[in-house]
Amino acid sequence: FMDTQTAQIISYALFAVGFLFRPLGAIIFGYIGDKYGRKKSLIISVSLMGTASLVMFLLPTYEMIGITSCYIIALVRIIQGFSVGGEYSGAIIFAVEHTDNKHAGLAGSIVVSGCMSGVLLSTVVSHVINNHYLPEGSWRIAFLLGSCLSLIGYFIRKKITETPEFNKVYSRKNK
């Protein structure tokens, strides 16, 4: 086994890899949103995030599959970062395009506030599940909760309407 410092550096590197893929996700999901619709882009991004969270919950331990578990974590972090890149900007665009110009800034800021509230909530959940009284592996619960929330988000997004702005542009292109 490795020393504590090396293990911590590897943990931080696996965490950081998700952040590196956010810009790519924003570009790809921005293209999907422009070409096929904001709704479709948001459905795909929440589906990817939910799937990645479920994989993390079900991930076999290092003791079970060895170094392969580290590679799977890296792949999951890439998918999560990629998804967040599309989700963050896509949700803002979706909210702003569904709002009249007078309240567009408010709509966008509510989405950003929601994202920051999610970060705060995840900190609280992390603190609770890392309690030394809970059994080892309790951290997986957070990923199960995340995948369940993604499933709820998926069904909500299936029912919402496309943005009026996208519909206008799409109808002009197809005339």
Side-chain angles (χ1 to χ4, degrees):
F1 292 131
M2 64 184 80
D3 65 277
T4 308
Q5 281 185 323
T6 305
Q8 192 170 23
I9 289 170
I10 290 171
S11 295
Y12 288 146
L14 287 172
F15 187 73
V17 76
F19 286 95
L20 296 175
F21 279 83
R22 283 185 182 189
L24 180 62
I27 292 168
I28 301 295
F29 281 109
Y31 173 79
I32 292 169
D34 287 346
K35 181 98 172 149
Y36 303 104
R38 286 32 166 157
K39 177 181 172 179
K40 184 172 288 270
S41 175
L42 288 172
I43 287 172
I44 294 168
S45 69
V46 78
S47 298
L48 279 174
M49 181 59 80
T51 302
S53 295
L54 186 60
V55 168
M56 192 69 90
F57 170 72
L58 298 172
L59 181 68
T61 63
Y62 183 86
E63 290 76 23
M64 294 170 81
I65 62 172
I67 194 72
T68 305
S69 65
C70 295
Y71 296 134
I72 294 171
I73 289 173
L75 179 62
V76 167
R77 288 295 300 146
I78 288 168
I79 293 168
Q80 288 175 327
F82 184 78
S83 300
V84 169
E87 183 72 25
Y88 189 76
S89 55
I92 294 169
I93 291 166
F94 193 87
V96 168
E97 287 186 358
H98 263 296
T99 308
D100 61 1
N101 287 340
K102 183 179 173 186
H103 297 104
L106 177 62
S109 66
I110 289 171
V111 173
V112 174
S113 296
C115 292
M116 295 304 110
S117 298
V119 170
L120 179 63
L121 180 61
S122 71
T123 303
V124 171
V125 169
S126 174
H127 181 71
V128 169
I129 64 174
N130 283 318
N131 187 320
H132 68 278
Y133 294 113
L134 294 175
E136 191 174 324
S138 297
W139 57 268
R140 293 175 185 270
I141 295 167
F143 290 99
L144 179 61
L145 290 172
S147 64
C148 291
L149 288 173
S150 294
L151 193 59
I152 293 167
Y154 172 83
F155 286 113
I156 289 171
R157 288 173 182 188
K158 288 294 277 185
K159 296 200 179 287
I160 57 178
T161 60
E162 185 57 73
T163 67
E165 188 65 32
F166 177 79
N167 286 334
K168 275 192 263 181
V169 171
Y170 188 77
S171 66
R172 269 188 261 145
K173 283 183 180 178
N174 291 330
K175 282 188 177 181

